Amino acid sequence: MSRLSCGLCLLAGLLFSVWPTPSTSIDSTQFWLKIRASDKFQRSVIADTGVAIQWIKDDYVIAIGNLQEKKELEKLGWVEFSSSVAEIKDFPSKDSEFHNYTELTASLNDLQKKYPQLVSLSSIGSTVQGREILALRISGHLDQGAQMPAILFMGGHHAREHLSVEIPLLIVERMLEEYSKGNERIRRLIDSREIHLIPAVNPDGLEYDIASGRYQMWRKNRTQNRDGTFGVDLNRNYSYGWGTGGSSRDPDSETYMGTAPFSEPETRAIKKYIEDHQNISTLLSFHTFSELILYPWGGKYDPISDQRDRNVHITMANKMAEWNGYVAEQTSELYIASGDTTDWAFGEHKIISFTFELDPSSSRGGGGFYPGPDVIPVVVNKNKEPMLYLIEYADNPYRVLDAN
Ligand code: 0X9
Ligand code: ZN
């Protein structure tokens, strides 16, 4: 290709270099550009215009450029899509209810401002691209939090699973509202527990998935791998049984395990946070989709060997399934996959650990990873009781066995 395009490029370059640019026409708008390019030569032509290439796919690149650069590339006929940066870097308008990273940060800050006695916001570390991974700590006695039984809710390990960010956030918001309205049950729970929420473990991936104006179906984080590809599957990067099945050594794979256990700043931040909060007894990691409640092990077919440990997971999972209607099962019933959050949390720290795969139940007709905003209130309602139940028993999850 390159001779033709370079010829055009030169021509375009010449035209632009002799064209007078009146100062009044300077336009500082930046554009996201999706530009066809299938090899390094075409990408070099693109880079020569001055745009910043952000992502490279097999047959196109995504770049940010100004109006002049956009026009130059349009003359080449390679621009497939463009949109002003100010307009996008956000969900498609039909999904604007979902939180992008800026909105999520604002919502978490608002909660701290609105409930200063109950909520403490902090950064637990930063991502590959330098975003803060945010955590909310909630308790009626924030200063004595470390002495309270604690539970951790997490969402957004996987970039495209946006509902997994929304649901724990909205349920926690609702709990705080109920607390301030005087709901006795909620007051009792919040006053006697330390509740941790990390709604977006992978904010780089979240932003990447939405930034071009079209969903990228992205799963991993945004680590630059040694072969030029991007991303590690954070739910394959925890250390327990790392690399022993159901994860890939190929950096380009969706389930790339990373170069080593905890090679990623995001998983390291979670590890440190959990290890710094020894009072965490229970953990729930939200994912989408399939409507499942999963418990260890995921990296092997064996059931949890200790009978009480096994029964506590099974009993709690079955109880929660009565409320949300999901299917409760050992994770490896799905498929073997090693290095996930829950195997590590239970295997290393004996934390009672669950993964929820939220709605929909299947991709057929249900929207898969992108089910739209109408499901949000439905999924909030069906998962509120399971979350309250886990909070209730966080003082000693084994109490559920006595009730049987
Ligand atoms: O594969 C995953 O990481 C999870 N499913 S998802 O569609 N959200 O990607 C399931 C995790 C289950 N873990 C194991 N099978 N170990
Ligand atoms: Zn997931």
Side-chain angles (χ1 to χ4, degrees):
M1 83 90 223
S2 50
R3 236 177 296 150
L4 172 65
S5 56
C6 276
L8 283 173
C9 182
L10 270 175
L11 181 62
L14 263 175
L15 277 175
F16 277 107
S17 61
V18 295
W19 208 257
T21 316
S23 58
T24 50
S25 76
I26 290 175
D27 183 333
S28 59
T29 312
Q30 295 285 308
F31 294 86
W32 281 107
L33 301 161
K34 181 176 177 186
I35 309 156
R36 263 199 316 282
S38 44
D39 60 34
K40 61 186 175 192
F41 303 109
Q42 290 179 326
R43 290 194 288 272
S44 298
V45 173
I46 292 167
D48 274 346
T49 64
V51 299
I53 294 178
Q54 303 291 308
W55 304 296
I56 298 171
K57 295 269 182 179
D58 282 347
D59 54 355
Y60 67 88
V61 299
I62 301 287
I64 299 177
N66 62 26
L67 183 62
Q68 178 168 321
E69 291 155 356
K70 172 167 136 18
K71 284 183 176 165
E72 198 170 336
L73 287 159
E74 279 168 349
K75 285 208 174 134
L76 295 175
W78 294 358
V79 177
E80 282 188 5
F81 169 79
S82 72
S83 186
S84 121
V85 167
E87 275 162 33
I88 53 165
K89 229 182 192 309
D90 202 355
F91 286 92
S93 58
K94 71 174 181 56
D95 283 344
S96 61
E97 242 178 79
F98 288 84
H99 289 72
N100 62 31
Y101 179 67
T102 310
E103 292 162 346
L104 177 67
T105 307
S107 288
L108 297 175
N109 271 302
D110 286 350
L111 286 177
Q112 184 175 240
K113 262 189 228 134
K114 202 165 165 192
Y115 307 105
Q117 315 297 342
L118 302 177
V119 169
S120 162
L121 175 64
S122 63
S123 166
I124 67 163
S126 46
T127 63
V128 171
Q129 294 178 332
R131 293 186 178 87
E132 303 300 328
I133 304 168
L134 299 172
L136 273 195
R137 196 168 64 82
I138 297 147
S139 177
H141 304 280
L142 281 172
D143 50 341
Q144 297 157 38
Q147 283 91 57
M148 306 268 184
I151 180 161
L152 171 60
F153 298 106
M154 285 180 279
H157 269 81
H158 288 145
R160 62 193 167 208
E161 298 172 14
H162 301 286
L163 195 61
S164 75
V165 176
E166 295 302 307
I167 299 307
L169 173 67
L170 293 177
I171 293 177
V172 161
E173 273 180 4
R174 198 181 275 189
M175 285 176 62
L176 289 164
E177 269 164 39
E178 291 291 314
Y179 184 102
S180 60
K181 282 193 210 149
N183 180 319
E184 293 220 347
R185 178 184 180 206
I186 302 293
R187 286 188 81 97
R188 181 176 55 79
L189 286 180
I190 292 186
D191 282 343
S192 60
R193 301 282 180 270
E194 189 179 47
I195 302 165
H196 301 270
L197 169 66
I198 303 171
V201 173
N202 176 16
D204 291 353
L206 184 163
E207 288 288 285
Y208 175 72
D209 195 51
I210 62 175
S212 74
R214 249 185 253 168
Y215 287 126
Q216 295 297 310
M217 272 289 264
W218 192 253
R219 172 181 171 92
K220 301 185 285 181
N221 74 348
R222 291 298 298 167
T223 273
Q224 179 144 24
N225 298 318
R226 57 179 183 269
D227 63 349
T229 63
F230 287 88
V232 167
D233 183 349
L234 297 180
N235 214 28
R236 300 292 182 276
N237 190 240
Y238 289 80
S239 61
Y240 193 87
W242 180 80
T244 55
S247 62
S248 173
R249 290 183 194 278
D250 173 3
D252 200 24
S253 160
E254 285 274 86
T255 56
Y256 177 46
M257 64 183 80
T259 51
F262 292 115
S263 57
E264 302 311 295
E266 295 87 353
T267 49
R268 279 202 303 277
I270 300 299
K271 175 181 191 289
K272 179 168 188 326
Y273 193 77
I274 290 177
E275 291 176 353
D276 284 350
H277 293 89
Q278 292 286 325
N279 54 340
I280 294 175
S281 67
T282 314
L283 167 160
L284 169 54
S285 182
F286 287 91
H287 284 252
T288 76
F289 57 92
S290 288
E291 302 188 5
L292 300 169
I293 299 176
L294 306 171
Y295 50 85
W297 303 110
K300 51 191 171 193
Y301 293 120
D302 309 335
I304 294 172
S305 58
D306 180 274
Q307 195 187 334
R308 272 173 69 76
D309 288 344
R310 183 170 66 249
N311 284 345
V312 97
H313 283 94
I314 293 173
T315 306
M316 290 186 115
N318 288 341
K319 187 70 197 170
M320 292 190 286
E322 288 177 20
W323 289 302
N324 63 14
Y326 294 177
V327 171
E329 63 191 3
Q330 181 173 331
T331 309
S332 55
E333 288 294 312
L334 272 186
Y335 44 82
I336 290 278
S338 53
D340 86 352
T341 317
T342 53
D343 276 11
W344 171 78
F346 178 68
E348 285 293 330
H349 295 294
K350 286 282 171 285
I351 293 171
I352 307 304
S353 299
F354 300 94
T355 299
F356 279 12
E357 296 282 357
L358 296 169
D359 295 44
S361 58
S362 80
S363 56
R364 248 174 291 129
F369 293 115
Y370 305 106
D374 293 351
V375 302
I376 295 175
V378 180
V379 183
V380 163
N381 284 335
K382 63 165 90 165
N383 284 294
K384 193 174 143 226
E385 207 50 50
M387 277 179 70
L388 294 178
Y389 169 77
L390 292 178
I391 296 168
E392 172 91 54
Y393 282 94
D395 64 319
N396 174 12
Y398 294 86
R399 284 196 293 122
V400 300
L401 300 178
D402 306 334
N404 281 338

